[in-house]
C-alpha cells in the first residue's frame, strides 16, 4: 500500500504567502550602521548605570496636542508613540545635582566606527514650561559612549560624545527633524581633543579631532539623554542614526529605513 503526502498547488501558494506575511510582521533586525551589526527592539531601554535620582524614560503613546494644535505637529512624527522623558531639578545645598537619565542601546552599536556616523538627529516635543525652567536650549541630548582611541592618550578608553541642540522656539507641539550634523554643537566629556564642554565643535570638527591617523574610535552605546541641569518633561521620537530611524512606540522601538 502506498501513501501519498502533499498539498495542492493552491494550498502551497497560500502557505508561502502566509509565511511571507508572518516574516514581514515579526520584529526583525537590521544593520545598525553599515557593518552588519543587528538592531533589535529588546536591546533599547534605560541605561541604569547612567541614571541618577528617580527620572522617567519610558515608551508611551502620544503626546498629542497641545490643545488647539490640529496640524501634523500635534501628533508624533512616526506611528502613535514616543519616548517620554521626565527629569527633576531637585538640587539643594545637600544634594547639589539634578536628576539624569539615558535611554539607549548598549548592544547593537558596540564596535561600530565613530567616523562612520554621518546622519544623526531627532524630533522633540518641547513645552513652554520647559522653556520657563531652563530657557529655549533646555532640551535632551544625543550621546554616544565611545572608545576615543586618541594617539595622544593611549590609556584613555572611554569618553562620551555629546550633541547639544540649538535653542528651540517651537513649543507645545512636535518639532520638525533637528539635524545634529548641521546644528547645535558637539563635545567629548573626557577632554581627549580640543572639542570639550568649554570649546564646542561642529559635527565635522569633532570627527576630525578623533581622526588622528591611529586606531579608529569605536562606539560602545547610543542614547538619548537629559540632565543634570534643569527640570524637563517632554518626549523624543524619530531618532536617526545613519540610514535608520528608530521609532519609539509604546510596544517597543521600531526600526525604519530613513
Amino acid at each position: 500500500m502506498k501513501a501519498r503526502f502533499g498539498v495542492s498547488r493552491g494550498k502551497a501558494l497560500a502557505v508561502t504567502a502566509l509565511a511571507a506575511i508572518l516574516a514581514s510582521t515579526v520584529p526583525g533586525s537590521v544593520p545598525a550602521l553599515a557593518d552588519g551589526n543587528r538592531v533589535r527592539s529588546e536591546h533599547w531601554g534605560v541605561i541604569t548605570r547612567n541614571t541618577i535620582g528617580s527620572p522617567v524614560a519610558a515608551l508611551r503613546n502620544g503626546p498629542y496636542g497641545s490643545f488647539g494644535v490640529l496640524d501634523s505637529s500635534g501628533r508624533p512624527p512616526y506611528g502613535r508613540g514616543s519616548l517620554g522623558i521626565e527629569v527633576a531639578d531637585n538640587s539643594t545645598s545637600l544634594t547639589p545635582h539634578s536628576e539624569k537619565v539615558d535611554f539607549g542601546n548598549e548592544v547593537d552599536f558596540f564596535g561600530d566606527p565613530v567616523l562612520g556616523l554621518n546622519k544623526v538627529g531627532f524630533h522633540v516635543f518641547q513645552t513652554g514650561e520647559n522653556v520657563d525652567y531652563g530657557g529655549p536650549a533646555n532640551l535632551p541630548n544625543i550621546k554616544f559612549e565611545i572608545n576615543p582611541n586618541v594617539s595622544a592618550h593611549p590609556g584613555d578608553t572611554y569618553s562620551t560624545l555629546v550633541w547639544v541642540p540649538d535653542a528651540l522656539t517651537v513649543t507645545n507641539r512636535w518639532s520638525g527633524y533637528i539635524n545634529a550634523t548641521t546644528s547645535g554643537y558637539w563635545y567629548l566629556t573626557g577632554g581627549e581633543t580640543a572639542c570639550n564642554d568649554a570649546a564646542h565643535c561642529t559635527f565635522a570638527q569633532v570627527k576630525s579631532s578623533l581622526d588622528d591617523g591611529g586606531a579608529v574610535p569605536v562606539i560602545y552605546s547610543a542614547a538619548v539623554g537629559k540632565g543634570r541641569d534643569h527640570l524637563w518633561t517632554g518626549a523624543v521620537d524619530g531618532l536617526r542614526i545613519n540610514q535608520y530611524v528608530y521609532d519609539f512606540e509604546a510596544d517597543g522601538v521600531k526600526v525604519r529605513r530613513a
Side-chain angles (χ1 to χ4, degrees), residues 45-103:
V46 172
I47 300 179
T48 52
R49 57 187 170 76
N50 290 346
T51 298
I52 298 171
S54 302
V56 173
L59 299 173
R60 54 160 292 176
N61 283 322
Y64 291 92
S66 299
F67 59 85
V69 180
L70 304 179
D71 61 14
S72 60
S73 65
R75 57 182 181 271
Y78 294 93
R80 301 177 180 177
S82 65
L83 170 66
I85 298 175
E86 300 174 18
V87 293
D89 179 7
N90 58 355
S91 58
T92 67
S93 58
L94 296 178
T95 57
H97 300 298
S98 303
E99 291 185 343
K100 174 182 182 293
V101 67
D102 284 349
F103 183 96

Side-chain angles (χ1 to χ4, degrees), residues 41 44-46 56-66 74-86 103 123-127 130 174 232-238 246-254:
S41 174
W44 290 86
V46 172
V56 173
L59 299 173
R60 54 160 292 176
N61 283 322
Y64 291 92
S66 299
R75 57 182 181 271
Y78 294 93
R80 301 177 180 177
S82 65
L83 170 66
I85 298 175
E86 300 174 18
F103 183 96
H123 300 251
V124 63
F125 189 93
Q126 174 71 310
T127 68
N130 290 333
W174 282 98
W232 196 84
T233 302
V236 168
D237 197 20
Y246 300 93
D247 170 17
F248 299 124
E249 296 293 334
D251 60 347
V253 179
K254 313 300 182 184

Side-chain angles (χ1 to χ4, degrees), residues 152-175:
H153 303 281
D156 186 345
T157 60
Y158 179 87
S159 187
T160 303
L161 175 61
V162 183
W163 172 63
V164 179
D166 286 332
L168 180 65
T169 57
V170 174
T171 61
N172 302 320
R173 66 193 67 212
W174 282 98
S175 74

